Amino acid sequence: MGVKGLQSYIEKRCPEVMIPVSLATIGHRFYRHHGKQAVLVIDGMSCLQKFYHPGIPWVYGGQWRQYVDQIEKFLKALERAKIEPVFFFDGRVENKKRDEWVKRRISNRINVAKIFEYIKETGCEPSEKLYHIPVALPQLTIMALKSLGATVHNTRREADYEIAKYCKEFNCLGILGQDTDFIIYNIGEYFSSQYLKLDSLTTISYSRNVLCSKLQMPIYQLPLLACLMGNDFISREDLEGFHKYLGRGRIPWAQKLVPMLSNYAASYGNRLLSRQDITYIESQVFGRDRSKFGRIHESVSMYYLELENVGETMPERRDGQISGNRVRPIHATVLELTKKQQRFSDSIVWNVTKTGIVDCGMSFEDDNDPNLPSSSPVLRPVRQRMYGLLYGIGVKAKNGGNGMKVEGDGIRARAEGDGIGVKSKDDKIRVKAVSEGVRVKAEVDGIEVKAVSEGVRVHAAGESIGVKAEGDLTRGLTENPRTTRSDAGEPVAMPTDHTQLVVGQNAVMEWHVYKGNPLKEPDIVPALPLDSLKDGTPSLEYLWLHSGPEVTECRLLTYLACMDCSISMATIKQIPPEYVIPCTLVNYFLQSLPQDVFGEIELSAFLATFVTLPLYDVNALVALEVSEVKGKGIHLATMFMRGVSTAIKVDAACGKPVATGDELPWKYFDGKLFHAKYLIALQTTNTLVLCQKNEDVAKLFELLRQCVLEGRRS
């Protein structure tokens, strides 16, 4: 987010700070002088819209082969320029930036609603004015970069600090990004990703020396200037009193305020600020409000790159939901593997096991269609089982009592840490839920659930569910911030009694965007055991640290259990490995969604996409035309890609039964191709027609179809 107002001030008042440069020229010059490639640290998040630009069709769910081709061309251009790129991606949203994150998510949803409204009215692709990146783009960009041999790091917080620290530690050429904090850090050169031209590698460089010359201030006091202008640590609201003091009762316009602040900062000379200096400055800036003391010290220390272990600890306890000292202990070797996986691959395992907080902010779904559920609640049971695996919920060797006892004609279940699964073969079971950590799995015709707290969410495998409430469980979505939606998209209330749940031990705090969620508070989601496995939930130690045929089979069985997959192991082994993730995902949708949402038409369209994609090269996919844009097709593509993202994370948690090379979605999915197949399937589900009259492809289609339909529960 950077320094408030500095970017616009530079562009309007100090354009000479922005110097046109050629990265190719700089790279070759460095190579001639040093005999090795220059290392350029790249803020990956800032480059997403540069790589997936509006010129690539963006509405269909992702043109992934075209996107990977774009990234590959960029990497080759850097290689020719004698530049070695090192990419950094944000690990998670920090607490102090949550409000801004929520504002952006709400704004994105308004834009997405406009996109679907336009599609319904015109049946055409929206213009670039409504541009929105596809879902899961950061995760898939990381996978694309790694598959192409690039060096990629995930951070444990937002990336700017770790980018700057890495640049200084390894004496890198500079940083490619778009964050004015990079002007403040006194390291390398700062190149703009916003002005970058991918083909020629030209951009602009922001000169901090020129900026300091224009503002007549020493470079050592840029961190203080950033604090006084407002940044991620100190809000503009916190600075209003000080700004009014400088403006003699009124806050000056930016063109006057920035020179005033730079003059104040310059008065401390060309030296590092002492703790005594900062204490005096905080007394002037914050007055008597001592609750804000320390913010300038923390912010300046960050810019001086003096902070250590930033963002690695559990959040402080809040509202009884988080407890930093109750995190489930993890085997030391598993913890090291988790750190490595977080650093160089996906951050989900680290975030769940170390912080208990998971973010999912991008949504490209039709919130205004009552018949189409949001992907987040649909996929929630999968995530819950993955959380259970990561927390060891249901690992028999470690389980304690589950607190079950019989009370008369029913079962009373209290979750006391590890979650609970209740099975019954009786005609009916009556379950009184006293906390959120209750899961009822039914083998009966019906279940009656009575809630004694504000609400309860029950995920059932039975044929029908009846819910009774003492109070109104389905209050208005905007009235109750804890209200969420069921797996089928129906509104239900989440409980507010979390006395039995501890985030980071048996529950996860989810900040997910979905229909009806105002994002006022996170969802506290209980982790669930893998009840379908004969021997219970396997331990991470066994899955990650052991080897052999039995372990390999256990990893795949665990993945199938997390995905609630009805396909047998024998059948899974008969299909090509690159189709395991899409087939298990489609199988899950068939069992979890109503037939009018995901039925024969949708199944045929997805399978046809999987099997015909190898017939196309990148140019053929670019040339492919779609006669009409359907809102449901866009929604389904988004749901599928969100499911792919989730399945890849499940695969990582299970010890990678599906190899990384077989996870890559550009091997089996293309958004525009799917939309074309969906339009055909609306007219006919004839296999040969969908498979472009290719008999070999049609045989593969039928193999995958039999696979995903196996054991399907109606």
Side-chain angles (χ1 to χ4, degrees):
M1 289 157 53
V3 182
K4 305 296 188 293
L6 184 56
Q7 181 73 37
S8 59
Y9 181 82
I10 289 173
E11 292 178 350
K12 295 176 181 178
R13 301 290 169 179
C14 303
E16 55 268 51
V17 171
M18 304 165 62
I19 302 172
V21 296
S22 166
L23 292 178
T25 300
I26 294 173
H28 282 292
R29 183 190 306 133
F30 184 94
Y31 186 80
R32 286 196 303 270
H33 291 169
H34 301 279
K36 62 180 181 179
Q37 288 184 317
V39 177
L40 179 65
V41 188
I42 300 178
D43 181 356
M45 296 298 289
S46 76
C47 293
L48 292 182
Q49 294 189 31
K50 184 62 63 171
F51 294 154
Y52 206 117
H53 53 78
I56 301 176
W58 46 270
V59 76
Y60 298 106
Q63 305 309 111
W64 299 112
R65 285 195 176 180
Q66 189 175 350
Y67 181 59
V68 174
D69 184 65
Q70 176 75 74
I71 293 175
E72 185 175 18
K73 289 177 179 177
F74 174 65
L75 294 179
K76 287 181 177 179
L78 290 177
E79 184 179 9
R80 289 192 297 270
K82 305 297 183 183
I83 293 175
E84 177 189 350
V86 176
F87 292 87
F88 277 76
F89 286 83
D90 294 339
R92 66 178 178 86
V93 180
E94 297 175 71
N95 290 336
K96 64 178 179 288
K97 299 184 180 181
R98 181 62 66 186
D99 290 344
E100 181 64 27
W101 183 90
V102 169
K103 289 178 183 177
R104 292 184 182 183
R105 301 293 83 76
I106 292 174
S107 176
N108 285 340
R109 289 169 71 179
I110 293 172
N111 185 53
V112 169
K114 293 178 181 178
I115 292 171
F116 277 99
E117 182 180 350
Y118 179 86
I119 290 172
K120 292 174 183 177
E121 290 178 354
T122 67
C124 299
E125 287 186 35
S127 67
E128 292 184 6
K129 293 180 180 179
L130 294 175
Y131 170 75
H132 190 286
I133 63 174
V135 297
L137 187 60
Q139 178 188 6
L140 297 183
T141 303
I142 291 171
M143 295 181 69
L145 288 166
K146 289 180 65 65
S147 71
L148 295 169
T151 300
V152 182
H153 295 274
N154 277 332
T155 67
R156 294 171 192 165
R157 51 168 287 169
E158 291 204 7
D160 50 1
Y161 176 81
E162 291 197 35
I163 286 173
K165 192 170 184 179
Y166 184 95
C167 188
K168 179 180 181 180
E169 182 177 352
F170 294 98
N171 196 27
C172 299
L173 173 68
I175 296 169
L176 176 66
Q178 200 62 45
D179 189 324
T180 42
D181 278 334
F182 294 138
I183 300 178
I184 307 302
Y185 290 109
N186 190 18
I187 37 93
E189 291 194 63
Y190 165 36
F191 304 105
S192 169
S193 58
Q194 177 183 340
Y195 291 95
L196 174 67
K197 296 186 183 301
L198 295 176
D199 52 352
S200 64
L201 295 184
T202 57
T203 183
I204 64 166
S205 172
Y206 294 95
S207 172
R208 59 183 63 88
N209 289 323
V210 174
L211 176 63
C212 288
S213 176
K214 291 290 295 183
L215 294 177
Q216 298 182 348
M217 62 175 293
I219 201 167
Y220 271 118
Q221 300 314 331
L222 280 176
L224 177 56
L225 174 65
C227 295
L228 299 179
M229 291 185 68
N231 58 13
D232 295 340
F233 289 84
I234 306 166
S235 69
R236 276 289 182 89
E237 290 73 21
D238 293 335
L239 297 166
E240 281 185 359
F242 182 64
H243 290 173
K244 285 181 179 179
Y245 165 74
L246 294 179
R248 297 182 180 181
R250 299 179 62 183
I251 298 177
W253 292 102
Q255 61 266 31
K256 293 184 178 180
L257 178 61
V258 175
M260 289 179 178
L261 296 175
S262 62
N263 286 338
Y264 179 90
S267 67
Y268 285 88
N270 192 25
R271 61 180 177 83
L272 294 177
L273 295 174
S274 67
R275 187 61 185 263
Q276 185 177 0
D277 292 331
I278 293 175
T279 300
Y280 177 73
I281 293 169
E282 288 182 327
S283 68
Q284 285 197 304
V285 172
F286 301 130
R288 297 180 179 179
D289 190 353
R290 300 193 66 84
S291 66
K292 297 174 183 176
F293 279 37
R295 294 185 186 181
I296 292 180
H297 177 264
E298 185 179 8
S299 181
V300 168
S301 298
M302 180 193 73
Y303 289 124
Y304 288 162
L305 299 176
E306 292 176 350
L307 295 184
E308 296 295 334
N309 302 320
V310 179
E312 295 187 15
T313 58
M314 278 287 292
E316 294 180 359
R317 187 179 180 90
R318 187 183 71 178
D319 299 331
Q321 296 171 3
I322 304 174
S323 177
N325 59 1
R326 294 185 65 186
V327 181
R328 178 176 297 280
I330 302 175
H331 189 284
T333 307
V334 171
L335 183 60
E336 285 304 311
L337 288 175
T338 301
K339 289 181 180 179
K340 183 177 180 181
Q341 187 180 63
Q342 180 275 334
R343 188 70 177 171
F344 298 106
S345 182
D346 193 282
S347 60
I348 182 68
V349 174
W350 175 270
N351 285 345
V352 172
T353 56
K354 197 65 178 175
T355 73
I357 303 174
V358 174
D359 304 303
C360 183
M362 301 307 298
S363 173
F364 204 153
E365 299 168 334
D366 189 357
D367 288 353
N368 294 321
D369 189 329
N371 298 316
L372 295 177
S374 297
S375 57
S376 178
V378 168
L379 293 164
R380 185 184 295 121
V382 176
R383 298 194 303 274
Q384 288 180 281
R385 287 185 285 270
M386 177 182 67
Y387 300 154
L389 173 64
L390 293 173
Y391 288 145
I393 309 297
V395 175
K396 291 185 177 180
K398 295 184 179 180
N399 273 358
N402 279 326
M404 286 190 294
K405 60 180 180 179
V406 176
E407 290 189 353
D409 60 352
I411 298 173
R412 183 180 182 191
R414 179 185 295 269
E416 294 181 342
D418 280 356
I420 183 168
V422 180
K423 296 185 180 180
S424 174
K425 295 184 179 179
D426 299 331
D427 292 334
K428 181 177 287 188
I429 52 177
R430 181 174 181 271
V431 178
K432 182 177 288 186
V434 294
S435 76
E436 185 179 10
V438 177
R439 178 175 185 264
V440 178
K441 184 172 184 180
E443 299 173 5
V444 294
D445 292 334
I447 303 172
E448 179 182 335
V449 179
K450 189 172 184 180
V452 295
S453 60
E454 183 178 355
V456 66
R457 179 173 58 246
V458 178
H459 300 283
E463 294 181 10
S464 61
I465 304 174
V467 178
K468 287 188 177 181
E470 294 181 358
D472 189 359
L473 279 183
T474 55
R475 294 189 294 174
L477 292 173
T478 57
E479 178 185 342
N480 179 13
R482 288 286 179 190
T483 302
T484 183
R485 290 184 175 266
S486 70
D487 305 335
E490 297 300 321
V492 294
M494 294 185 70
T496 55
D497 178 11
H498 300 300
T499 57
Q500 301 301 320
L501 291 177
V502 179
V503 170
Q505 179 173 337
N506 64 354
V508 170
M509 180 185 291
E510 286 191 344
W511 285 95
H512 274 224
V513 174
Y514 57 86
K515 185 188 303 185
N517 184 6
L519 293 174
K520 292 181 179 179
E521 292 185 354
D523 295 332
I524 309 302
V525 178
L528 299 179
L530 299 180
D531 288 337
S532 63
L533 292 178
K534 179 179 64 175
D535 297 323
T537 304
S539 68
L540 292 185
E541 290 91 331
Y542 181 73
L543 293 174
W544 290 22
L545 303 182
H546 291 73
S547 59
E550 289 185 358
V551 179
T552 301
E553 183 158 313
C554 183
R555 288 169 181 160
L556 183 54
L557 280 172
T558 305
Y559 168 81
L560 296 177
C562 287
M563 297 297 295
D564 194 25
C565 184
S566 66
I567 309 171
S568 68
M569 282 279 287
T571 301
I572 283 290
K573 292 177 180 179
Q574 291 177 6
I575 65 174
E578 65 268 26
Y579 295 125
V580 171
I581 281 183
C583 284
T584 52
L585 181 59
V586 169
N587 174 269
Y588 178 78
F589 286 153
L590 282 170
Q591 298 181 94
S592 304
L593 297 171
Q595 193 168 0
D596 60 344
V597 174
F598 202 98
E600 184 64 29
I601 290 173
E602 293 74 24
L603 171 62
S604 297
F606 275 110
L607 293 181
T609 303
F610 303 160
V611 299
T612 60
L613 182 57
L615 302 177
Y616 293 82
D617 60 17
V618 173
N619 292 331
L621 290 170
V622 172
L624 183 66
E625 295 184 359
V626 174
S627 59
E628 183 182 3
V629 182
K630 294 279 190 180
K632 183 179 178 181
I634 303 303
H635 189 107
L636 288 171
T638 295
M639 184 175 292
F640 177 79
M641 287 309 303
R642 179 63 69 209
V644 167
S645 171
T646 301
I648 290 172
K649 293 170 183 176
V650 170
D651 184 51
C654 294
K656 305 291 285 187
V658 182
T660 300
D662 294 322
E663 293 176 330
L664 305 175
W666 40 95
K667 287 191 172 184
Y668 50 81
F669 185 79
D670 176 88
K672 197 161 52 164
L673 178 61
F674 166 72
H675 213 85
K677 296 299 181 183
Y678 178 65
L679 294 177
I680 294 173
L682 288 172
Q683 303 300 320
T684 178
T685 55
N686 180 276
T687 300
L688 275 176
V689 173
L690 287 165
C691 295
Q692 299 169 202
K693 299 183 178 180
N694 186 311
E695 292 187 0
D696 291 335
V697 172
K699 289 180 182 178
L700 180 58
F701 178 99
E702 288 299 332
L703 174 65
L704 299 187
R705 188 175 188 279
Q706 292 173 16
C707 172
V708 300
L709 292 177
E710 182 183 282
R712 182 171 57 130
R713 300 181 290 272
S714 58

